[in-house]
Amino acid sequence: MANEVQADGTQNSGFVFTVSAVSALAGLLFGYDTGVISGAILFVQEDFRLSTFQEEIVVGAVLLGAMIGAAGGGRLADRFGRRLVLVQVACLFILGALGTSLASGATLLSVGRVVVGIAIGIASFTAPLYISEISPAHIRGKLVSLNQLMITIGILVSYLADYALAASRGWRWMFGLAAVPGLILLIGLLFVPESPRWFVKQQLRDRARAVLAKIRNPLAIDAELAEIESSLTQQEGSWRELSSPALRPALLIGIGLAVFQQFTGINTVIYYAPTIFQLAGLQSHSAAILATAGVGTVNVLLTVLALELLDRAGRRPLLLFGLVGMIFSLVFLGAAFLAENPTPALAWISLICVMAYVACFAVSLGPIFWLMIAEIYPLKLRSRAMAVATMFNWGSNLLVALTFLSLLRALGRPATFWLYALVGLVAWVFVLRMVPETKGKTLEQIEAAWRSHTT
Ligand code: BGC
């Protein structure tokens, strides 16, 4: 595809795809490093004789680090540029992987996991941010969601690594292996250009033009530069602007989707799937782990489908459709747990419900939260606003992780899953009333639409 020019103004789409895929390796690390703990903790707990409290700290450290990373990362991406921040993040990932794999005790391990968390927190929004800014509008959904695809692959690989290394109690390897994709990301980034939109924001027009010359039809470059520049003249870039009547809906949508993505309970499945299956009657350890790998595979496959659908069906229909599926799966899962005793039938029903739930998440809230926060904010505020939404996402993630087991005890299994279903219902109404369609529009057109609603 060396220098192919498409009718829509994109040139060299193979290069844009490769550059997006390299950046999306950050997603692979996000998925791997959040997933790996589920298997590793069993051995860490025994080797370091952790108390329950220490165990919770080791497990929660990544989520805490991710909140810190998101909080600080917005300013970094503005100041140093998207690419350089990804380089820094890749170094942190490698450092964290080596540090955790060599840790001599619980405290050092927790510190290492916080470092990994900081990297995840920054990477989780910087990769979608970068990809959205280099993508042509008509395939932006697909390219940005490569990051979500990598997250799901990372989670699956972490399950498999945990499984393969369990026999040798190889928790140090489980953590250390993440250095490999970290290194590939670092090397790959050497060949990746900076975001042309960031260059324009920094008033480096010539450098922006040089990047666009690599990825766009020469005849379309001036128009794109003019569009970015004219949209910049309308932006203040202050926090006050983000809460102005024009942009307040965008702020609310980012935070709302962040919270709903987590409060509908996805990570109870991602982090606790074996527990759920054992409660439902899958007695053996290996059956529960196998079922979990099945869930990870469904997550990957349906995300591939989402990549194909996002730029065709659009974001809104997928969100609305996926949420309905998630709500029904959760209602049935809860109902299945009304049974007094675990039976093989219950085990099967719960497995089917969990798979259906993950499948529906994978075509809706999974990719679309990260995609939309990369689309709906004006350039001058984009990275900081994304960082805010991302912080809410990790904060909600932490809250769900900390409360799931207590909720099961306090409310019982059926009511716990119905509670997540209820949140799904509120999310559905929220999407119906608040979330705009962004399919096929340039980032500047999306911004103009916010302003035109208030004038
Ligand atoms: C979410 C993660 C989740 C993953 C599952 C991501 O979009 O942010 O919290 O674990 O999807 O695929």
Side-chain angles (χ1 to χ4, degrees), residues 30 148 152 155 261-262 267 299 361 366 370 393 397:
F30 163 169
Q148 173 70 13
T152 62
I155 293 173
Q261 195 206 40
Q262 295 300 324
N267 286 314
N299 198 7
F361 173 87
W370 297 110
N393 189 267
N397 189 335

Side-chain angles (χ1 to χ4, degrees), residues 73-292:
R75 291 203 173 276
L76 293 182
D78 260 348
R79 185 136 176 226
F80 297 110
R82 295 33 172 147
R83 179 181 161 277
L84 203 57
V85 168
L86 284 174
V87 169
Q88 293 162 356
V89 159
C91 295
L92 267 191
F93 271 123
I94 298 171
L95 215 88
L98 298 178
T100 45
S101 72
L102 298 173
S104 54
T107 310
L108 280 181
L109 183 62
S110 302
V111 173
R113 289 293 285 172
V114 171
V115 171
V116 171
I118 292 175
I120 296 179
I122 303 174
S124 57
F125 74 89
T126 311
L129 163 65
Y130 170 74
I131 301 174
S132 81
E133 291 189 343
I134 54 153
S135 299
H138 71 290
I139 49 168
R140 192 178 55 238
K142 182 183 204 165
L143 293 179
V144 173
S145 301
L146 275 176
N147 188 59
Q148 173 70 13
L149 178 62
M150 291 293 201
I151 295 174
T152 62
I153 293 175
I155 293 173
L156 181 61
V157 171
S158 79
Y159 290 162
L160 298 177
D162 283 359
Y163 187 58
L165 292 164
S168 59
R169 306 179 57 81
W171 65 264
R172 292 183 186 278
W173 279 103
M174 294 176 192
F175 289 135
L177 274 179
V180 177
L183 199 63
I184 301 177
L185 173 62
L186 188 60
I187 296 171
L189 284 169
L190 297 177
F191 305 96
V192 160
E194 179 53 88
S195 151
R197 285 180 165 76
W198 184 77
F199 275 143
V200 176
K201 186 171 91 59
Q202 302 301 103
Q203 297 175 330
L204 297 167
R205 194 174 202 272
D206 289 346
R207 298 182 70 178
R209 171 181 283 283
V211 176
L212 286 174
K214 285 191 192 160
I215 55 178
R216 300 285 194 268
N217 179 340
L219 299 176
I221 294 175
D222 281 329
E224 185 161 346
L225 274 177
E227 193 185 19
I228 302 172
E229 279 171 337
S230 114
S231 110
L232 270 177
T233 59
Q234 310 214 9
Q235 301 172 21
E236 261 178 49
S238 64
W239 283 113
R240 196 165 41 100
E241 190 187 11
L242 196 57
S243 53
S244 67
L247 292 178
R248 199 178 306 136
L251 180 65
L252 288 179
I253 289 165
I255 295 176
L257 289 178
V259 172
F260 288 128
Q261 195 206 40
Q262 295 300 324
F263 280 5
T264 41
I266 183 63
N267 286 314
T268 65
V269 172
I270 300 294
Y271 303 159
Y272 293 106
T275 314
I276 297 178
F277 294 137
Q278 281 185 337
L279 290 175
L282 276 188
Q283 294 301 351
S284 85
H285 242 49
S286 55
I289 292 179
L290 206 66
T292 306

Side-chain angles (χ1 to χ4, degrees), residues 60-72:
V62 147
L63 301 180
L64 197 74
M67 279 184 72
I68 301 172

